[in-house]
Amino acid sequence: LMIISPLSNLGQLSINLEKALKANPNLAALPAWGNYETSAWMLGWLAAAASFFAGYRLLKHHSPQSVQITIIILWCAPILTLIADMYFTSYFFNISLSSVLDAGVFRDLFKGLAAASIWTLYLKLSRRVKNTYYAGFQNGEAGEPVRSEPTL
């Protein structure tokens, strides 16, 4: 969450922007392209910062709230970034939102939600997560740590 995911997402953004320019070389001459590119990078860095924050929070604050914040970020980030990207595309290039919807949008949404689902399952069901973030928190109150030990 802290390093690989944000760097991977920023790398994919760079690749996508390059592909768009190669497919449409005249985009570079449009003022709208510069505005879109700047907005896309700001959005990418914002999503990377949210992911880093979630990972840092898990690393430094071993509490149930850290897990909940991470799950919220995992689910909201892909949806909000996709909506914002569609808005930027529509706004800067003066095209309808329905024109922006294509198979790529749904593919990206599916990838983001699949990753969120996998991480959520891990964060909710893992014994390691329970031992690290929920030990000592019974009904929201701190107390004696209670470990989840393997049983036969």
Side-chain angles (χ1 to χ4, degrees), residues 23-146:
N24 303 299
N26 58 342
L27 279 177
L30 298 174
W33 174 254
N35 293 334
Y36 173 77
E37 192 174 25
T38 300
S39 298
W41 277 112
M42 287 188 336
L43 186 60
W45 281 106
L46 185 63
S51 182
F52 182 84
F53 171 76
Y56 181 82
R57 174 93 189 184
L58 287 173
L59 181 66
K60 295 294 184 180
H61 301 282
H62 295 173
S63 71
Q65 292 84 5
S66 296
V67 175
Q68 292 304 315
I69 288 169
T70 299
I71 290 171
I72 290 168
I73 289 172
L74 285 168
W75 283 95
C76 291
I79 295 168
L80 294 177
T81 54
L82 196 57
I83 290 170
D85 184 57
M86 289 179 0
Y87 171 77
F88 291 149
T89 302
S90 173
Y91 179 76
F92 290 125
F93 296 107
N94 199 25
I95 56 177
S96 69
L97 277 173
S98 61
S99 309
V100 177
L101 286 174
D102 64 3
V105 170
F106 294 109
R107 182 194 67 237
D108 291 344
L109 181 62
F110 177 77
K111 284 172 39 179
L113 296 180
S117 298
I118 291 166
W119 273 107
T120 299
L121 286 172
Y122 172 73
L123 291 169
K124 291 283 192 180
L125 301 176
S126 166
R127 180 175 293 145
R128 178 178 290 163
V129 170
K130 284 184 177 90
N131 286 338
T132 303
Y133 299 97
Y134 291 91
F137 291 93
Q138 295 294 327
N139 298 325
E141 297 177 18
E144 286 297 314
V146 178

Side-chain angles (χ1 to χ4, degrees), residues 14-29:
S14 178
I15 290 168
N16 290 345
L17 291 172
E18 290 276 331
K19 281 182 183 178
L21 276 177
K22 283 183 181 177
N24 303 299
N26 58 342
L27 279 177

